[in-house]
């Protein structure tokens, strides 16, 4: 009970800060509240958000993951190449293939973390370098752009929930990809809170030994977490390429820091056992808004790295302070 | 029987130095057989003595952070920031007085090293005072330092370092390359520090058992702070050598060194969970990796393929270390 009220507190706090940030930005630049801006903000949430969901799982279990951008590249590039090679017209099988590629890569992480008790950061650094090196060194380095991209991917990601027309005749709408993101978030939320395996992830993150004694299968939980994170990354990769109409094997560079920053803002502690889907989604929204408003407020892009670095430091300091405070 | 005893002896060598030497010899022999005409040239080995010191210093820095069970992901950022600041300083002096003498270069070097110490100090304070875990703290500061470096340069590389500065990276004293001499001096100093000085021994104790070290009256926080300052200053020395050798400094130089430094630290017998690490192991591991790397370049492997091999090698080393620890 105590823990659940704390969770509520953490998330309401993030939501409040988010609201204040939005109001401040809105005061500085009223264009922020325009519907097309809000829609485009939500659209930029999708890919970072989906990836952050995977990282949240890993971090709740007390792990760490820097390999998801590489897995996303693998899922995206291999699948699109295969689609072009076989001239396949469908949509479901490609996404299943991308998910399976990510899953296979994730299994590698799970295997090394569980079997050899190695620090997840080092394992995922190794697998990331391997997978990315394999894709660029063996599969290819050339971009697949719009005239070669499978058209069904593009038309899938193009669909909108609602459409509006501006006074000057330009059209804008809410991408239906946001529904993909929201439903995935809902599934993971339910999985984390209402299944034994999901509770096992929290238990493992809190204390490995206690989780073992309470009867959780540590092997199963570890593999589940890393496989799921990999699968989510593979899916996000293919979705990303259909949204930008481009499959670039050098994509997602620097994405790891954005996603990890978002997850940390959301209150997930790397000590494990703490974190939630709602927190992460709020964190992702916060990060997207901050990055977007840096551009709106005409801050030079060179400052972006500084800002992201500061965000990671401040957010982790607050989380660490919360955990310490909570213990004493 | 005889073979069994000798293999046991070989396994029991605590730091696996012998295993490392065997790996190095194997690499040397294989490369010599594959491309004897190119690999066995004096030029090849001479260029290795210029290139390997910077990587060795990064690896020693990583090892010191790992001694207490931490990690430093900001070493590349520290290295680039310190060399870029020196570069900016030289440009300012050159535009004012038009001449950059030895004395100015000495100030520049001091400036670089101070930046290294300060950066390490920030890492240490975040880790000890704010109890942020090393991965996130150094990931954040690494982004911050790289960001500041990017803001200072605006993107392109800083070129045109003074001649004396280039001497640090390319010069020779008594027929020996200057970077190599710097490496030997630093290696001996760090080795002495870890074996004979209270600080080094305490660091290993903290890494072995944090709680026991606390009860033994070791000032844990202070020791960890100092260890990150040493890490920072070693990274900045590597940065000076790197920019001296290439006569340029850029915010994203040497990013691939991060994975290699971790790989070498682990290969050299450092335990990333803390408590174990030595300079001799690192030095041999660097030589092994440099031989491998120059061999791949002679065999015309693409950089991506080499990334793949480094990643796979890191995972292989994890497996090897685990097997060795089990048999002990």
């Amino acid at each position: 009970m105590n823990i659940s009220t704390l969770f509520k507190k953490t998330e309401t706090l993030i939501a409040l800060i988010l609201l204040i940030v939005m109001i401040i930005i809105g005061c500085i630049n009223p264009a922020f509240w325009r519907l097309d801006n809000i829609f485009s903000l939500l659209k930029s949430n999708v890919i970072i958000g989906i990836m952050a969901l995977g990282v949240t799982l890993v971090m709740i279990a007390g792990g760490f993951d820097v390999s998801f951008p590489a897995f996303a590249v693998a899922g995206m590039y291999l699948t699109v190449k295969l689609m072009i090679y076989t001239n396949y017209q469908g949509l479901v099988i490609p996404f299943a293939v991308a998910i399976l590629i990510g899953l296979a890569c994730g299994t590698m992480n799970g295997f090394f973390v569980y079997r050899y008790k190695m620090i997840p950061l080092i394992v995922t650094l190794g697998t990331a370098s391997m997978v990315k090196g394999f894709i660029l060194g063996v599969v290819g380095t050339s971009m697949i752009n719009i005239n070669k991209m499978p058209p069904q991917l593009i038309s899938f990601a193009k669909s909108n929930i609602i459409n509006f027309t501006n006074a000057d005749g330009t059209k804008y709408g809410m991408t239906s990809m946001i529904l993909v993101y929201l439903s995935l978030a809902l599934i993971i939320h339910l999985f984390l809170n209402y299944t034994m395996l999901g509770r096992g992830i929290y238990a493992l993150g809190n204390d490995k030994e206690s989780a073992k004694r309470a009867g959780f299968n540590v092997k199963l939980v570890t593999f589940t977490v890393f496989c799921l994170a990999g699968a989510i990354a593979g899916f996000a990769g293919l979705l990303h390429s259909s949204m930008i109409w481009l499959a670039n094997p050098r994509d997602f560079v620097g994405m790891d820091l954005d996603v990890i920053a978002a997850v940390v803002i959301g209150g997930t502690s790397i000590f494990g056992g703490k974190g939630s889907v709602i927190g992460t989604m709020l964190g992702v929204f916060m990060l997207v808004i901050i990055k977007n408003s840096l551009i709106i407020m005409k801050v030079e892009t060179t400052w972006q790295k500084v800002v992201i670095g500061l965000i990671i430091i401040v957010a982790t300091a607050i989380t660490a302070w919360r955990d310490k405070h909570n213990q004493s | 029987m005889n073979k069994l005893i000798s293999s046991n002896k070989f396994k029991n060598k605590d730091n696996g130095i012998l295993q490392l030497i065997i790996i190095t010899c194997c690499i040397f022999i294989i490369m010599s057989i594959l491309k004897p005409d190119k690999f066995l040239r004096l030029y090849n080995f001479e260029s290795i003595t210029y290139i390997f010191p910077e990587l060795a210093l990064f690896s020693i820095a990583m090892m010191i952070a790992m001694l207490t069970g931490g990690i430093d992901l900001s070493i590349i950022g520290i290295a680039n920031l310190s060399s870029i600041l020196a570069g900016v300083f030289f440009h300012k002096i050159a535009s004012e007085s038009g001449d950059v003498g030895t004395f100015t270069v000495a100030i520049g070097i001091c400036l670089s090293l101070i930046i290294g110490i300060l950066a390490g100090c920030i890492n240490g304070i975040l880790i000890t005072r704010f109890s942020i875990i090393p991965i996130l703290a150094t990931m954040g500061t690494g982004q911050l330092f790289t960001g500041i470096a990017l803001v200072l340069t605006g993107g392109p590389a800083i070129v045109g370092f003074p001649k004396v500065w280039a001497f640090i990276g390319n010069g020779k004293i008594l027929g020996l390359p200057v970077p190599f001499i710097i490496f030997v001096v630093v290696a001996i100093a760090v080795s002495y520090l870890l074996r004979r000085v209270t600080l080094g021994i305490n660091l290993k104790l903290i890494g072995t058992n944090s709680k026991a070290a606390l009860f033994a009256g070791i000032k844990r926080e202070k020791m960890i702070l100092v260890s990150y300052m040493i890490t920072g200053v070693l990274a900045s020395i590597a940065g000076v050598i790197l920019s001296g050798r290439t006569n340029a400094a850029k915010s994203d130089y040497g990013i691939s060194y991060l994975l290699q430094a971790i790989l070498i630290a682990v290969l050299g017998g450092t335990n990333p969970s803390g408590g174990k690490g030595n300079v001799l192991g690192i030095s041999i591991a660097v030589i092994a990796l440099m031989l491998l790397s120059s061999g791949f370049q002679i065999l015309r492997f693409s950089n991506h393929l080499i990334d793949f091999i480094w990643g796979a090698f890191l995972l292989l080393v994890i497996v090897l270390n685990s097997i060795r620890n089990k048999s002990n």
Side-chain angles (χ1 to χ4, degrees), chain A residues 267-320:
Chain A
T268 304
S269 154
I270 200 207
F271 291 115
K274 290 193 187 67
S276 69
V277 167
I278 299 160
T280 293
M281 291 173 77
L282 290 169
V284 169
F285 200 48
M286 181 102 87
L287 186 92
V288 168
I289 284 188
I290 292 170
K291 281 191 94 166
N292 176 274
S293 53
L294 286 179
I295 300 166
I296 288 186
M297 287 192 281
K298 297 192 176 65
V299 178
E300 273 187 65
T301 44
T302 46
W303 281 95
Q304 278 205 5
K305 268 184 194 289
V306 178
V307 174
I308 299 284
L310 282 175
I311 288 174
I312 294 180
I313 295 167
V314 173
T316 39
I318 293 171
T319 321

Side-chain angles (χ1 to χ4, degrees), chain B residues 78 112-122 228-230 232-233 236:
Chain B
I78 295 176
S112 289
L113 300 190
I114 289 169
I115 293 298
I117 295 173
L118 272 181
C121 192
I122 293 172
Y228 278 93
M229 285 162 77
I230 298 172
V233 85
S236 64

Side-chain angles (χ1 to χ4, degrees), chain A residues 139-152:
Chain A
V139 182
T141 52
S142 58
M143 276 191 251
I144 297 167
N145 46 25
I146 180 152
N147 48 21
K148 274 196 181 161
M149 266 306 264
Q152 72 270 31

Side-chain angles (χ1 to χ4, degrees), chain B residues 226-279:
Chain B
V226 174
S227 83
Y228 278 93
M229 285 162 77
I230 298 172
T231 303
V233 85
L234 289 178
S236 64
I237 296 173
V240 171
I241 298 177
L242 177 63
S243 67
R245 186 171 63 80
T246 56
N247 199 18
K250 199 174 173 229
S251 59
D252 60 355
Y253 267 175
I255 288 175
S256 62
Y257 277 152
L258 185 64
L259 179 80
Q260 291 179 38
I262 293 173
L263 169 59
I264 290 166
V266 179
L267 180 65
T270 313
N271 181 358
S273 315
K276 231 163 66 182
N278 65 81
V279 176

Side-chain angles (χ1 to χ4, degrees), chain A residues 42-62:
Chain A
L42 286 173
K43 191 176 177 184
S44 0
N45 265 295
V46 174
I47 297 301
I48 296 187
I50 292 177
M51 286 185 164
L53 290 173
V55 176
T56 308
L57 287 176
V58 176
M59 275 172 68
I60 290 176

Side-chain angles (χ1 to χ4, degrees), chain B residues 54-55 57-63 65 71-82 119 123 138-139 141-142 145-146 228 230-239 253-254 257-262:
Chain B
E54 57 208 41
L55 183 54
L57 289 176
F58 281 132
S59 311
I60 294 174
M62 189 61 81
M63 183 263 285
I71 198 162
D72 195 339
L73 300 175
S74 67
I75 46 172
I76 309 297
I78 295 176
N80 287 329
L81 181 60
S82 44
N123 283 336
T138 56
M139 189 178 249
T141 55
F145 300 146
T146 312
Y228 278 93
I230 298 172
T231 303
V233 85
L234 289 178
S236 64
I237 296 173
Y253 267 175
Y257 277 152
L258 185 64
L259 179 80
Q260 291 179 38
I262 293 173

